[in-house]
Amino acid sequence: MLPTLVLVGRPNVGKSTLFNRLTQSRDALVADFPGLTRDRHFGRGRGADRPYLVVDTGGFEPKVKSGIMHAMAKQTRQAIAESDAVVFLVDGREGLTAQDSNIADLLRRSGRPVVLAVNKAEGIAPERVTAEFHELALGKPLPISSAHGENVRDLVNIALALCPAESADNPADAAGGNDGSRIKVAVVGRPNVGKSTLVNTLLGEERVIAFDEPGTTRDALYLDFDRDGRHYTLIDTAGVRRRGKVFEAIEKFSVIKTLQAIEDANVVVLLLDAQAEISEQDAHIAGHILDAGRALVVAVNKWDDIGTEERAEIKRELGRKLGFLAFAKMHTISARDGKGIGPLLRSVDGAYAAAMSKLPTPKLTRALADAVALQQPPRAGMVRPKLRYAHQGGMNPPVIVIHGSALGAIPQTYRRFLEHFFVDVFQLQGTPLRIQFKTGANPYAGSAARRKPRRSK
């Protein structure tokens, strides 16, 4: 699994600015669901020595006992418990405060690795801006500027060095539960859509888990099962439990674990509730699946409980709000009654096969020639990009690398045309496809400058 860094600090120290810089986007996931009084932002970190997840928490005031700030503190404690490392952000211009000391005390008790970052340090001598923060006893403070990016990459790499190696993060591998022949399937979705019921149905039994106390870490469960000669490992983060044995703190949507499950899966089943409106949270989770490049199957649960008119409206809503998932197959199921499970698993198999497809270079190059013959790339001024040949650059998701000249001028519309063309030709339904362009260096570039001038006679 990818390591998770959690940004913690009192209000207005620059956590969101740092988060936006780390994710290089403002379109990060938002955990916006009942029970949260402040959005938490989740995204994929970029620009470091290894990939990672990053979480932006609300302003943290751990000693507040009621109201909105208390609820925010509760969610921050949960994020800390589920983190691999914590980045504790303080304000170098405002200086050390009592709230900073309170947060530092809590972080020391948490047992999580902590990196202390002194923000807003631009234009100030490092020794002066960090001096008073040494008394927090959390290691050497690192001066940074979230707004200007100063020392941000160093900060992230220091934090990631404190996280476990990725090879040791998969409990299934450590236990010998995943030998490489099993398809890892993550079941994700909002609370109460039927994830646990679906997992129980797939396993063929009702499983009971002893839950930890609220606020402590719950590891994802890796559950092996076989069906029709195929071998699967379910990655479950919601908790498989008997009805009536549900505790409020455990029913909270653990977004961090969901993102880690998506990253670790071969195929993701996005479970939706036919009785509930498709929310922004559904779209955000779907966006992260797409960003992670995972094969996908969409399942709409509780289909038998709604009428004909409602079914038509749900299908229209799916096309309107989740149209960017057109590459994935959609199934209507009843997890409770076991209806639609067979076709769902067949689509999981198909999506996995598509994600792991091996695409021979000669066939890719012929398909590229057919695509160009059907529709040439548009001109960029006086130049038309030339697409010469293609080869496969990776799997899960499939990556097609196209070589040629002036490829930097190819617009996104033509890139999407090529993606759809390759998906159709190689029958890659169920997985996103990535295309990379590589413009070859001109072997004659600079030769005139290197050429020796002729001597005049």
Side-chain angles (χ1 to χ4, degrees):
M1 287 186 184
L2 296 187
T4 300
L5 305 184
V6 172
L7 310 182
V8 172
R10 57 185 174 81
N12 302 318
V13 295
K15 296 187 300 298
S16 295
T17 304
L18 178 58
F19 173 84
N20 288 335
R21 182 168 292 278
L22 295 181
T23 57
Q24 299 179 11
S25 169
R26 293 180 182 271
D27 299 327
L29 296 177
V30 178
D32 184 11
F33 51 87
L36 278 185
T37 54
R38 165 75 159 74
D39 290 345
R40 282 192 292 164
H41 297 264
F42 306 80
R44 212 169 197 236
R46 305 177 190 279
D49 292 341
R50 60 191 280 208
Y52 63 100
L53 299 174
V54 59
V55 182
D56 175 24
T57 62
F60 192 25
E61 298 188 28
K63 291 201 172 183
V64 176
K65 300 299 182 185
S66 61
I68 292 177
M69 298 307 295
H70 173 69
M72 289 165 59
K74 185 177 180 180
Q75 289 299 315
T76 299
R77 285 189 177 92
Q78 181 67 25
I80 292 169
E82 294 180 349
S83 70
D84 291 302
V86 176
V87 174
F88 178 22
L89 212 61
V90 294
D91 189 330
R93 296 186 181 271
E94 190 171 337
L96 182 63
T97 69
Q99 285 176 271
D100 293 328
S101 298
N102 293 336
I103 296 170
D105 290 341
L106 184 144
L107 291 176
R108 281 194 296 270
R109 293 194 300 271
S110 74
R112 287 289 181 265
V114 179
V115 180
L116 177 58
V118 183
N119 195 24
K120 307 179 187 178
E122 64 275 13
I124 307 176
E127 299 79 8
R128 185 159 67 87
V129 76
T130 62
E132 60 184 321
F133 294 102
H134 285 274
E135 68 180 75
L136 293 177
L138 288 173
K140 184 179 179 181
L142 177 68
I144 71 164
S145 172
S146 298
H148 299 280
E150 295 175 11
N151 287 338
V152 169
R153 184 182 177 92
D154 291 340
L155 168 68
V156 174
N157 287 330
I158 290 170
L160 290 176
L162 300 174
C163 297
E166 289 183 63
S167 60
D169 280 345
N170 187 340
D173 291 341
N178 192 322
D179 58 6
S181 63
R182 292 186 175 274
I183 302 173
K184 291 191 287 186
V185 183
V187 179
V188 305
R190 288 184 293 152
N192 304 316
V193 296
K195 296 188 297 294
S196 296
T197 304
L198 176 58
V199 170
N200 281 332
T201 299
L202 291 171
L203 293 173
E205 60 178 317
E206 195 167 14
R207 298 282 289 268
V208 184
I209 293 173
F211 292 121
D212 294 337
E213 290 297 318
T216 57
T217 305
R218 289 195 312 120
D219 290 331
L221 301 174
Y222 287 69
L223 307 167
D224 291 347
F225 79 102
D226 302 329
R227 188 178 177 115
D228 298 330
R230 301 281 288 178
H231 309 297
Y232 307 88
T233 295
L234 282 177
I235 307 175
D236 175 60
T237 59
V240 189
R241 77 277 191 250
R242 293 187 188 276
R243 293 174 184 168
K245 299 289 186 182
V246 180
F247 298 92
E248 179 183 357
I250 300 305
E251 277 295 284
K252 295 284 186 188
F253 185 43
S254 180
V255 183
I256 295 174
K257 294 302 180 185
T258 297
L259 299 192
Q260 290 176 332
I262 290 169
E263 295 286 350
D264 200 35
N266 300 124
V267 183
V268 177
V269 175
L270 175 60
L271 197 61
L272 306 173
D273 187 342
Q275 296 178 315
E277 183 178 324
I278 295 174
S279 71
E280 288 300 313
Q281 180 67 4
D282 292 322
H284 289 318
I285 296 173
H288 187 84
I289 296 169
L290 190 62
D291 190 42
R294 292 297 169 260
L296 173 67
V297 179
V298 179
V300 184
N301 193 25
K302 309 177 187 178
W303 193 250
D304 291 348
D305 297 334
I306 61 173
T308 304
E309 292 184 4
E310 292 172 290
R311 292 179 179 182
E313 175 57 29
I314 288 172
K315 289 181 178 180
R316 285 193 294 270
E317 191 178 12
L318 280 168
R320 186 171 64 252
K321 294 185 177 181
L322 299 179
F324 59 93
L325 299 183
F327 68 89
K329 286 192 176 181
M330 192 270 287
H331 291 269
T332 57
I333 69 169
S334 172
R336 178 191 60 204
D337 301 325
K339 294 183 179 179
I341 301 301
L344 175 69
L345 278 179
R346 285 194 288 275
S347 289
V348 167
D349 294 340
Y352 176 74
M356 305 303 289
S357 293
K358 294 182 178 180
L359 310 174
T361 296
K363 290 185 178 180
L364 281 173
T365 301
R366 282 197 296 271
L368 177 63
D370 292 342
V372 173
L374 181 65
Q375 181 177 328
Q376 290 193 36
R379 287 182 178 275
M382 298 296 293
V383 177
R384 186 188 298 276
K386 295 187 183 302
L387 288 67
R388 294 195 172 92
Y389 70 96
H391 66 88
Q392 187 170 8
M395 295 186 293
N396 196 27
V399 178
I400 296 176
V401 182
I402 296 176
H403 296 258
S405 60
L407 301 186
I410 291 180
Q412 286 297 319
T413 51
Y414 194 76
R415 180 191 292 267
R416 286 194 291 271
F417 160 73
L418 291 175
E419 288 173 353
H420 292 312
F421 190 89
F422 283 119
V423 165
D424 290 341
V425 168
F426 292 99
Q427 299 181 347
L428 299 176
Q429 187 171 21
T431 180
L433 175 71
R434 302 245 169 105
I435 288 182
Q436 297 177 357
F437 294 114
K438 285 195 174 182
T439 298
N442 183 350
Y444 301 103
S447 59
R450 293 192 302 268
R451 192 179 301 127
K452 294 182 179 179
R454 295 182 178 180
R455 295 180 179 179
S456 59
K457 296 182 179 178

